[in-house]
Amino acid sequence: MLELPAHFRKMTSQVIHVVALPLSFFVFMLVYRPFNIDEKLLLGSFSFGVNLTLVSCIILGSMLLTRLLFYFLRRRIDRLTYAFWCLMEVTVAALFVALYVYLMRSGEQHYFSVVPMVYSWLCGVLIFPYVIISLSLFLVAKCRAAEEPKEEGKMRFYDERKNLKLVVTATSVLYIAAEENYIHLYYLDGERVRDYLLRASMKSIEELCARHGLKRCHRSYYLNPTRVQALRKGKEGMLYAELDVAGKEVPISKRYYDAIAAVL
């Protein structure tokens, strides 16, 4: 999964979006007046400036609603979901603004003919603050990560809700096995083998295992190659890796055998 930096999930980030997006729209439209906006926002008895202010307030309200929802769902959102979320926010704002324009024109145009026009306004203008905010948050996250002291060899395991559940040294991990919606983490605690059950998928730990040298040896297993004592072939033809802990062995499928043998 493409992990979204924690800074995107903070309340300060939501406040920045709620304030910066409608403000950017107001300033850009007021200064540059693209799309013949000064004519199209001469609605009712209000001037262009009044209508632009009201439209910006509608964008502010829609952003407030969507960003509050985002904050409550923040742990389930990755980078791809975030991109779709931003697109959804623009769509929601466009629907509300289009309703305002439609009502102020006393139904001269069909509502669904107003929506594409308004949507083009918002997409054309809001893409710039979205990109600037996102790049700024990525840069802040990168700078903070560079400043934080690194714990060499530490593996951090999170559950499906992104809650930290276990921190162990990579060298102590023996293997990881999948079981339906859970994974078993087998690791050494002193001389004792521990089995930690975690609700997570094998795919969610793929990058973590690769970074710390654990190798995929089977559809349902990751293996620490530094713990392998020998490879053997079972009676049924299945390949196994015998670990340096008595009684522990891990199956190796033919698909992964060459990759495992190459690092031993």
Side-chain angles (χ1 to χ4, degrees):
M1 188 169 96
L2 296 173
E3 180 69 22
L4 190 68
H7 288 77
F8 281 80
R9 298 191 177 96
K10 292 183 177 180
M11 179 57 76
T12 51
S13 172
Q14 316 319 316
V15 173
I16 289 171
H17 281 82
V18 169
V19 174
L21 291 166
L23 183 60
S24 299
F25 179 85
F26 178 83
V27 171
F28 190 91
M29 288 297 194
L30 187 63
V31 173
Y32 296 102
R33 306 199 180 193
F35 315 111
N36 292 322
I37 196 71
D38 47 348
E39 295 180 6
K40 292 176 181 176
L41 283 186
L42 287 175
L43 305 171
S45 59
F46 296 148
S47 66
F48 165 74
V50 173
N51 280 308
L52 179 60
T53 302
L54 291 174
V55 166
S56 300
C57 289
I58 293 171
I59 297 172
L60 174 66
S62 64
M63 288 295 169
L64 181 61
L65 290 174
T66 54
R67 282 289 149 174
L68 280 174
L69 182 59
F70 178 94
Y71 186 73
F72 287 113
L73 299 175
R74 63 193 184 278
R75 296 187 184 279
R76 301 182 181 181
I77 295 177
D78 59 12
R79 294 188 187 188
L80 182 59
T81 310
Y82 180 77
F84 281 108
W85 189 278
C86 294
L87 185 62
M88 179 274 292
E89 283 183 330
V90 175
T91 303
V92 170
L95 292 174
F96 281 116
V97 173
L99 180 61
Y100 172 78
V101 173
Y102 169 75
L103 293 175
M104 291 299 290
R105 289 182 175 177
S106 302
E108 292 177 2
Q109 283 181 277
H110 194 280
Y111 172 71
F112 289 104
S113 67
V114 178
V115 171
M117 176 184 70
V118 174
Y119 193 75
S120 67
W121 298 352
L122 270 61
C123 285
V125 175
L126 295 184
I127 187 173
F128 299 107
Y130 267 119
V131 170
I132 292 171
I133 292 170
S134 297
L135 290 177
S136 299
L137 291 174
F138 273 117
L139 182 61
V140 170
K142 188 174 181 179
C143 292
R144 292 285 177 85
E147 292 173 359
E148 291 177 358
K150 298 186 182 294
E151 296 182 47
E152 295 296 334
K154 294 287 186 180
M155 295 186 73
R156 298 176 179 273
F157 292 93
Y158 297 82
D159 65 12
E160 60 180 9
R161 295 185 178 181
K162 308 303 177 189
N163 296 316
L164 181 63
K165 291 297 185 179
L166 180 68
V167 180
V168 294
T169 57
T171 55
S172 69
V173 176
L174 300 173
Y175 64 96
I176 300 172
E179 182 182 352
E180 296 182 349
N181 295 324
Y182 294 85
I183 57 174
H184 287 271
L185 305 168
Y186 293 91
Y187 67 98
L188 284 177
D189 182 7
E191 296 183 357
R192 185 176 179 181
V193 177
R194 300 280 187 181
D195 174 8
Y196 189 88
L197 185 64
L198 178 67
R199 187 173 180 85
S201 66
M202 294 292 273
K203 186 170 181 59
S204 68
I205 62 170
E206 185 176 9
E207 183 180 344
L208 177 67
C209 290
R211 190 164 64 245
H212 290 278
L214 273 68
K215 300 295 183 181
R216 192 75 174 258
C217 63
H218 187 277
R219 184 173 61 88
S220 302
Y221 288 87
Y222 277 102
L223 172 69
N224 186 347
T226 63
R227 292 288 182 178
V228 177
Q229 192 170 13
L231 297 179
R232 71 172 181 84
K233 192 171 186 179
K235 293 181 180 179
E236 70 284 6
M238 186 67 183
L239 297 166
Y240 292 92
E242 294 183 350
L243 306 185
D244 57 3
V245 177
K248 293 294 181 181
E249 60 181 20
V250 179
I252 301 176
S253 63
K254 293 181 180 180
R255 176 183 176 184
Y256 297 101
Y257 176 78
D258 290 339
I260 295 297
V263 297
L264 297 180

